[in-house]
Amino acid sequence: MATCGGAFGWVTRRLRKGLPFVAAAVLLAPVIVLAQTQIYDAKTRTWVDYDSKKARQYYARNKQSPEAFRRQIVTFRTAEPPGTIIIDGNQHFLYLVQPGGQAIRYGIGVGRDGFGWAGIVRVGRTAEWPVWTPPAEMVARDANAAKWAAGMPGGPENPLGARALYLYAGDQDTIYRIHGTAEPWTIGLDVSSGCIRLNNDDVTDLHSRVQIGAKVIVLMQGAALYKGI
């Protein structure tokens, strides 16, 4: 078990509260999940909540996310071909399948309660330093989004960060994206309105490796990879 920055050996888990176990993703299904991300504290040998306050504190001290959420090569068994993206929002990981039973694993931030979803989509297009145009639903509920209703230019403060992969179902834009973030401390949390966020270095790396048309599998939050895809 790796130890990062002192007391914590960073391994993640999720606690599900009274929800059925689901092992398969369905096309663009909304998911409401009541779950709590936890981090294993190797010093006390207990699981502790990993919330936005603790994430900010950790990032302020270390200028990076906990080790579990940093980009790394991992052993990964799947029938999906290399180049496929598999997203496990439950554990806050995105896997880019590689040859030889391996994957590149990236830490991610995912949809907060009421904004999770699952499905099989594809990368329809990509962009560098993309313009952010909030959807009408977000403009209606968020005053900060409303001022950018016509589009926020790309740049370091843009919510989409350095790169964006636009997710399509067939030829239709789903409005969901895999993108960077101006808030790197949020990796490992349930924070978004349904999009998948990576830190800017990671999304730049992912963008350089992914082909247009790549298959993207978003697992039902509450499912587990060891049960199969």
Side-chain angles (χ1 to χ4, degrees):
M1 181 179 299
T3 301
C4 181
F8 290 102
W10 296 97
V11 177
T12 71
R13 76 171 182 181
R14 298 267 287 177
L15 295 179
R16 295 183 298 279
K17 301 178 182 178
L19 295 179
F21 188 89
V22 182
V26 295
L27 183 60
L28 297 184
V31 183
I32 298 176
V33 175
L34 302 176
Q36 173 65 56
T37 300
Q38 294 197 318
I39 301 295
Y40 186 70
D41 182 344
K43 185 175 181 180
T44 63
R45 298 183 180 181
T46 60
W47 291 89
V48 297
D49 291 348
Y50 187 68
D51 55 24
S52 58
K53 181 178 179 180
K54 289 184 175 67
R56 276 182 172 270
Q57 291 171 343
Y58 185 92
Y59 196 88
R61 291 194 307 269
N62 298 279
K63 306 305 179 186
Q64 58 184 339
S65 298
E67 186 169 336
F69 299 128
R70 298 178 206 161
R71 183 170 74 242
Q72 54 195 279
I73 302 290
V74 298
T75 299
F76 191 79
R77 293 193 301 169
T78 179
E80 299 297 331
T84 303
I85 293 172
I86 299 174
I87 294 170
D88 182 358
N90 196 52
Q91 298 295 326
H92 299 93
F93 293 140
L94 180 153
Y95 297 88
L96 178 62
V97 178
Q98 301 292 292
Q102 294 187 314
I104 304 173
R105 190 180 78 188
Y106 305 82
I108 58 174
V110 298
R112 62 188 182 271
D113 286 349
F115 289 89
W117 61 283
I120 300 174
V121 291
R122 66 179 182 90
V123 177
R125 66 183 180 93
T126 67
E128 299 184 13
W129 294 108
V131 172
W132 176 57
T133 303
E137 296 84 355
M138 183 180 290
V139 169
R141 68 172 183 265
D142 186 333
N144 185 58
K147 70 180 181 181
W148 298 112
M152 180 181 184
E157 301 304 315
N158 188 298
L160 295 183
R163 303 288 187 272
L165 283 63
Y166 295 78
L167 303 181
Y168 281 55
D171 294 327
Q172 183 176 358
D173 188 343
T174 66
I175 79 166
Y176 295 120
R177 288 85 172 89
I178 299 169
H179 62 78
T181 181
E183 301 174 330
W185 56 87
T186 61
I187 301 305
L189 301 176
D190 299 352
V191 288
S192 77
S193 297
C195 289
I196 308 300
R197 64 173 66 177
L198 293 78
N199 70 50
N200 280 336
D201 286 345
D202 282 355
V203 78
T204 299
D205 181 82
L206 179 66
H207 176 271
S208 73
R209 299 175 185 272
V210 170
Q211 301 296 315
I212 301 297
K215 184 178 184 181
V216 180
I217 300 171
V218 182
L219 297 179
M220 187 81 71
Q221 290 186 29
L225 285 174
Y226 67 81
K227 289 288 185 182
I229 296 167

